[in-house]
């Protein structure tokens, strides 16, 4: 007899507690990151794109070493021919190392708070259980002075903290990142304070690698021209691998080379990609610009700060239980998030947002209409005719009216209702029958009185 195994607990906190220990931080991390080697490497959720980037770098270099650099050994002295291949392989390994340093390290993630900060203002009160509870509202923004210039810092609802200057919340990794530059899909990681240096060095070294392969492919073609005394077109036909590499590197150098030039411009002004596209410091003062030389020193010659999130550290038992049970209930005890209290919005239908006053007026209007409809129905029932045929016709009218969809004309100034033509026809027929029945009853009463 087969017995189903008991369901396994997917909660890492509970599983670690059952084993008699506390989990590590990376096991209970709320971001979208992917961890390897027990939290030693941290990647973004799109880490699979990293393999495509490695292939786009390693595959052309492998073709270059087999079909170009190996043939150049015959055209140069022995030590120079080998150095061409060794330099290509070493340059590629260096480039891939920078890629891993960019993608596999903490970009500057700021740990989340377990509770929101202390509120600065009290906004009204709510009646809960007959008691007045004050409602504390956390301001959306705060003013911070940086080098004599006032900048605004925003409150992050997800991380429950005020973001430091130059910090932004990445929607892909779901983390607040210091000196956030952008999220690069080619490396599968955010680019921030702790990996921006390696990112620029990776892009710049990739540009140099493209130029290196592009140049020696042309050198090989010229060696064929000199050896066989032929023109350039026939020499190119003898080495199709060189043609493919020339086209590939020529296209690639426009992307990585242009990106290198753009980031050189950003570094010279101490800007990030996010700030350049959002704030446009060319139209106002940049509070972080300290001069050309000082800006380059800040990026390349200052020590990288240690990570603020210790992913391999053990979570204290009380904090682990709080993190597993607490999702977004921090504002339930009298706190109001800055994003709460906004106008109601029908996202599915794309309706125009209403203010609370308009919503209240709409509700009162609908309630009044429903009361009028109920009174109408009661008056129809009380004034029902004793004639069976008329009662059957009235019931048929009421049933058909219930089945007929109500079409309102809310946009009109009169506020009238549209009535279906078939209901109008049925109503006129009932009116004729009412007039006939009333006429016959009147004649009957006159004959009775004459008698």
């Amino acid at each position: 007899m087969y017995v189903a195994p008991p369901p396994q607990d997917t909660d890492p906190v509970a599983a670690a507690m059952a084993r008699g220990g506390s989990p590590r931080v990376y096991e209970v991390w709320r971001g979208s990151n992917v961890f390897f080697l027990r939290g030693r490497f941290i990647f973004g959720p799109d880490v699979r794109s990293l393999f495509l980037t490695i292939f786009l770098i390693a595959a052309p270099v492998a073709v270059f070493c087999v079909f170009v650099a190996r043939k150049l050994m015959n055209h140069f002295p022995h030590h120079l021919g080998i150095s061409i291949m060794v330099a290509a392989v070493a340059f590629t390994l260096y480039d891939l190392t920078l890629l891993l340093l960019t993608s596999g390290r903490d970009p500057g993630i700021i740990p989340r708070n377990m509770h929101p900060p202390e509120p600065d203002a009290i906004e009204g009160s709510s009646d809960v259980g007959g008691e007045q509870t004050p409602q504390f509202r956390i301001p959306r923004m705060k003013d911070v002075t940086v080098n004599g210039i006032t900048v605004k810092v925003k409150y992050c609802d997800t991380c429950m903290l005020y973001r430091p200057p130059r910090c932004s919340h990445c929607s892909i990794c779901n983390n607040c990142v210091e000196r956030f530059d952008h999220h690069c899909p080619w490396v599968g990681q955010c680019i921030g304070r702790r990996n921006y240096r390696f990112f620029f060095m990776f892009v710049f070294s990739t540009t140099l690698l493209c130029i290196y392969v592009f140049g020696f492919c042309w050198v090989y073609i010229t060696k064929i021209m000199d050896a066989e005394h032929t023109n350039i077109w026939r020499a190119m036909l003898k080495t199709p691998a060189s043609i493919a590499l020339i086209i590939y590197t020529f296209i690639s150098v426009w992307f990585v080379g242009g990106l290198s030039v753009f980031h050189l411009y950003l570094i010279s002004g101490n800007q990030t990609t996010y700030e350049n596209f959002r704030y446009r410091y060319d139209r106002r003062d940049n509070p972080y610009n300290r001069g050309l030389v000082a800006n380059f020193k800040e990026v390349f010659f200052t020590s990288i700060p240690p990570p603020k999130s210790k992913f391999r550290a053990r979570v204290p038992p009380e904090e682990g239980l709080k993190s597993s049970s607490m999702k977004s209930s921090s504002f339930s005890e009298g706190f109001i998030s800055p994003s709460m209290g906004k106008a109601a919005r029908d996202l599915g239908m794309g309706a125009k947002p209403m203010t609370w006053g308009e919503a209240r007026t709409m509700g009162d209007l609908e309630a009044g209409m429903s009361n009028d409809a109920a009174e109408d129905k009661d008056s129809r029932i009380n004034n029902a005719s004793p004639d069976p045929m008329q009662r059957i016709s009235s019931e048929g009218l009421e049933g058909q009216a219930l089945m007929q969809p109500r079409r309102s004309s809310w946009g009109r100034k009169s506020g009238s209702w549209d009535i279906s033509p078939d209901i109008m026809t049925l109503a006129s027929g009932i009116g004729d029958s009412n007039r006939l029945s009333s006429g016959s009853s009147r004649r009957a009463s006159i004959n009775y009185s004459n008698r």
Side-chain angles (χ1 to χ4, degrees), residues 40-299:
R40 290 179 174 86
F41 292 93
I42 174 174
F43 297 90
D46 48 352
V47 64
R48 295 181 180 178
S49 61
L50 182 64
F51 297 100
L52 175 61
T53 305
I54 294 175
F55 174 79
L56 293 177
I57 296 173
V61 174
V63 173
F64 172 78
C65 292
V66 173
F67 295 100
V68 178
R70 188 171 59 89
K71 301 292 183 63
L72 284 174
M73 293 181 183
N74 302 327
H75 298 276
F76 287 94
H78 182 67
H79 61 281
L80 290 178
I82 293 179
S83 63
I84 295 174
M85 182 179 293
V86 171
V89 174
F91 214 161
T92 304
L93 294 177
Y94 170 73
D95 195 33
L96 295 179
T97 302
L98 291 174
L99 174 61
L100 294 178
L101 287 175
T102 303
S103 180
R105 72 184 291 125
D106 178 6
I109 298 174
I110 299 179
R112 306 186 182 195
N113 286 335
M114 297 296 296
H115 301 283
E118 292 295 331
D120 294 338
I122 301 178
E123 186 168 308
S125 60
S126 61
D127 191 2
V128 180
E131 298 181 358
Q132 294 290 330
T133 303
Q135 296 291 329
F136 299 96
R137 176 173 293 277
I138 300 176
R140 165 61 65 183
M141 293 185 179
K142 280 187 175 182
D143 292 336
V144 177
T145 303
V146 178
N147 296 327
I149 300 176
T150 302
V151 297
K152 293 184 179 295
V153 294
K154 293 183 180 180
Y155 179 79
C156 180
D157 294 321
T158 304
C159 301
M160 292 188 292
L161 53 84
Y162 281 99
R163 303 169 190 163
R166 315 194 82 177
C167 173
S168 183
H169 190 91
C170 177
S171 59
I172 300 176
C173 295
N174 196 22
N175 295 313
C176 280
V177 180
E178 275 190 296
R179 201 183 184 276
F180 177 78
D181 191 87
H182 69 288
H183 183 94
C184 181
W186 295 102
V187 302
Q189 181 64 283
C190 288
I191 307 302
R193 183 180 181 183
R194 299 189 69 251
N195 65 348
Y196 180 78
R197 177 187 305 176
F198 302 108
F199 169 76
F200 176 80
M201 294 171 66
F202 162 69
V203 174
F204 188 71
S205 62
T206 305
T207 304
L208 296 180
L209 183 61
C210 290
I211 296 174
Y212 183 87
V213 173
F214 181 85
F216 274 100
C217 286
W218 279 113
V219 169
Y220 181 50
I221 293 175
T222 57
K223 291 295 182 181
I224 295 177
M225 292 172 56
D226 296 338
E228 300 187 4
H229 303 285
T230 183
N231 57 18
I232 187 173
W233 304 111
R234 292 185 179 181
M236 292 175 65
L237 292 177
K238 290 183 177 294
T239 173
S242 297
I243 300 175
L245 289 174
I246 287 173
I247 296 174
Y248 178 81
T249 54
F250 179 78
I251 296 174
S252 300
V253 79
W254 283 102
F255 292 98
V256 292
L259 193 60
S260 300
V261 173
F262 175 67
H263 279 278
L264 282 174
Y265 161 73
L266 294 179
I267 294 172
S268 64
N270 205 337
Q271 301 181 49
T272 64
T273 304
Y274 182 79
E275 293 169 351
N276 181 262
F277 282 97
R278 176 148 189 177
Y279 298 115
R280 304 298 300 177
Y281 283 136
D282 54 351
R283 300 176 184 174
R284 62 176 186 172
D285 293 334
N286 181 2
Y288 312 105
N289 188 1
R290 301 189 298 171
L292 182 64
V293 178
N295 292 337
F296 274 90
K297 284 184 178 180
E298 180 181 342
V299 174

